[in-house]
Amino acid sequence: MALMHLARRWTTLASRQAATITVATVDHGLRPESAEEATFVKAHARALGFEHVTLVWSGEKPSAGLQATARRARYALLTAQARVNGASLLTAHTRDDQAETLIMRLSRGSGVDGLSAIAPVSGRDGVRLVRPLLGFSKTRLTAYLRARHVPFVRDPSNENNAFERVRLRLAMKALANAGVSKAALALSAARLGRSRAALDEAADRFLDGFFRVSPLAHGEIDREAFDALPDEIALRVLARVLPLVGGRAEPPRMMRLERLLENLRSRNSEATLGGSLVIAAAGRLSFYREPGRMKPEPLFLEPRVSVLWDRRFLVSAPTAAACEGQVRPLGEPGWTAWRRERKQLGLSAEANRLAALATPALWRVDKLLAAPVISGEGHASAVPSVTAKLAPPLARFLTRLPNTTSSALGKDTPIPYL
């Protein structure tokens, strides 16, 4: 509520139109009163001149790890809505949230990234994420609302000791009595954030120079350049690449990244982590989506609507006829069917099998209708108008990789990328 009212004040002072802002409420469906609370926010948003949308987290809720799962679902709903509007996403995290996150990360032995806690500006699923209230305490924002007679709702889950963050919040009262204030913790997080930004910039420069992605979402890094990196930068490179290729929202845990890095440094090897298969060979590191770990929900297309699939591809179709069927991974059955089709057409070029298995395909029951990523323009397809292109985070690194030998096909011949 405070963020919404401050946003309305900003539109007035900056002479901007309130219509450019949409207020989104996520109804997690975890409490009986949640729908009523969403309606409450909607009424106040409309009164301020904002559009409002309620996003419902549907489906079965887990019995363990509820808050973490709800957080992932919440951001998935919010970023999807932001992409529809071509908008940035603003959230109302406060200085209290910053301090609590730092303490939570300390309890897990986090490094610089974890201890710098919440970034004021970041990105998520291709959406710019901004947290303008990190410098303000929750007490100050509550006082702001009360001074202006703005009603607000307290979430009872914030008092539930079953949740880790609530237990740490109580422990922080003891820290405050010892002189460790929330303001001091937030200041430390901000200073660590500066260090994180410098390390991130070094990792980004390396990726821009040495990370290449094929249209199949298969990535490669020059191994000599990677081996020359300090461990801290190399870990950040892996933490960026693995979620991109592996279709995950978050990087693997640091302990697992450190173990992977040790293996990559010491020998040629294959390893799986974070939904990715990493192959370290002479001259290069290759990153593939691990087909056996793919569990995307079957996707039904709507005409002229671009949908994010497995966090890696944007899939769309221009007509209702082209939407018949559902999008699932190509997999071994699709690869076999596609190879048979190309052989009949006398086409000799083939995509890299290991990468192709994890690309989106349009299926009607067990019949392959289209394999848009690997078919290419002008090749046979029952529904040639279905398209799939790399999602923005991966597309940033899109470069047609040089011809390489494909161990996945068991051949010593160069494999041309389509």
Side-chain angles (χ1 to χ4, degrees):
M1 292 296 286
L3 176 64
M4 184 168 67
H5 279 262
L6 288 168
R8 184 65 183 92
R9 186 178 179 187
W10 173 76
T11 61
T12 302
L13 295 176
S15 300
R16 295 177 180 268
Q17 293 185 0
T20 61
I21 294 177
T22 298
V23 177
T25 302
V26 177
D27 181 359
H28 298 86
L30 298 175
R31 294 181 289 108
E33 60 271 26
S34 61
E36 182 181 344
E37 291 169 0
T39 302
F40 163 81
V41 177
K42 177 180 178 179
H44 284 269
R46 293 281 177 85
L48 292 172
F50 295 141
E51 292 295 320
H52 180 275
V53 60
T54 298
L55 309 173
V56 179
W57 180 29
S58 57
E60 190 175 344
K61 308 302 189 291
S63 57
L66 179 60
Q67 282 205 323
T69 305
R71 180 178 181 274
R72 288 192 294 270
R74 177 165 63 251
Y75 275 111
L77 290 167
L78 290 170
T79 54
Q81 182 67 34
R83 281 195 301 272
V84 168
N85 293 348
S88 296
L89 177 62
L90 276 67
T91 64
H93 290 89
T94 66
R95 190 172 68 190
D96 298 54
D97 297 311
Q98 185 75 289
E100 291 164 7
T101 302
L102 186 146
I103 293 294
M104 186 181 296
R105 304 280 174 78
L106 270 176
S107 70
R108 297 171 185 168
S110 295
V112 173
D113 276 17
L115 298 181
S116 56
I118 305 172
V121 180
S122 60
R124 193 180 183 97
D125 293 341
V127 173
R128 187 168 180 255
L129 178 56
V130 184
R131 300 177 174 100
L133 303 182
L134 275 182
F136 299 92
S137 68
K138 184 177 179 179
T139 299
R140 183 173 178 184
L141 294 176
T142 303
Y144 173 84
L145 293 174
R146 284 176 173 155
R148 285 157 181 76
H149 306 290
V150 176
F152 56 91
V153 175
R154 291 189 180 277
D155 184 350
S157 65
N158 288 332
E159 310 299 328
N160 188 343
N161 290 345
F163 299 129
E164 177 191 20
R165 185 176 286 271
V166 177
R167 295 193 300 270
L168 288 174
R169 192 173 294 152
L170 296 173
M172 287 177 65
K173 294 180 179 179
L175 288 176
N177 292 333
V180 184
S181 67
K182 292 179 181 178
L185 290 169
L187 180 59
S188 291
R191 287 171 173 166
L192 285 165
R194 292 203 300 262
S195 299
R196 178 176 65 178
L199 293 167
D200 284 346
E201 184 178 350
D204 285 340
R205 283 200 304 268
F206 177 86
L207 288 170
D208 287 337
F210 294 99
F211 181 50
R212 297 291 180 264
V213 174
S214 79
L216 302 175
H218 153 227
E220 285 187 1
I221 293 177
D222 179 85
R223 189 169 183 183
E224 183 178 354
F226 181 82
D227 287 344
L229 288 173
D231 284 356
E232 186 65 29
I233 305 301
L235 287 166
R236 288 170 187 279
V237 168
L238 292 175
R240 282 163 169 69
V241 170
L242 291 175
L244 286 175
V245 176
R248 302 293 175 90
E250 303 290 344
R253 291 186 179 277
M254 179 58 69
M255 185 179 297
R256 295 182 177 181
L257 287 172
E258 290 169 337
R259 191 158 53 239
L260 174 62
L261 178 61
E262 183 179 353
N263 290 336
L264 295 179
R265 295 283 205 209
S266 60
R267 59 186 181 276
N268 292 346
S269 62
E270 291 188 13
T272 57
L273 184 62
S276 296
L277 168 64
V278 186
I279 300 177
R284 69 181 182 273
L285 299 178
S286 298
F287 300 83
Y288 299 89
R289 179 72 165 99
E290 187 184 2
R293 292 287 183 179
M294 293 190 70
K295 296 181 180 179
E297 293 291 331
L299 175 68
F300 294 91
L301 297 176
E302 297 180 19
R304 298 177 298 280
V305 176
S306 184
V307 183
L308 183 65
W309 182 85
D310 197 41
R311 295 184 176 274
R312 299 179 300 130
F313 290 95
L314 292 171
V315 185
S316 62
T319 65
C323 295
E324 296 180 2
Q326 61 180 220
V327 180
R328 305 197 307 264
L330 181 69
E332 290 286 1
W335 172 257
T336 301
W338 181 78
R339 286 286 303 276
R340 189 184 304 118
E341 175 188 276
R342 290 179 67 86
K343 185 175 181 180
Q344 291 172 354
L345 291 170
L347 300 172
S348 59
E350 57 180 295
N352 184 300
R353 169 184 165 276
L354 193 55
L357 294 178
T359 59
L362 188 67
W363 296 84
R364 183 183 295 129
V365 191
D366 293 328
K367 178 179 175 57
L368 178 66
L369 301 180
V373 181
I374 64 172
S375 291
E377 226 175 279
H379 294 164
S381 172
V383 192
S385 54
V386 175
T387 62
K389 61 182 180 178
L390 291 180
L394 267 175
R396 167 188 168 192
F397 303 104
L398 178 60
T399 302
R400 293 178 184 272
L401 300 175
N403 288 348
T404 58
T405 300
S406 171
S407 60
L409 289 171
K411 298 180 180 180
D412 294 325
T413 54
I415 302 302
Y417 287 86
L418 298 180

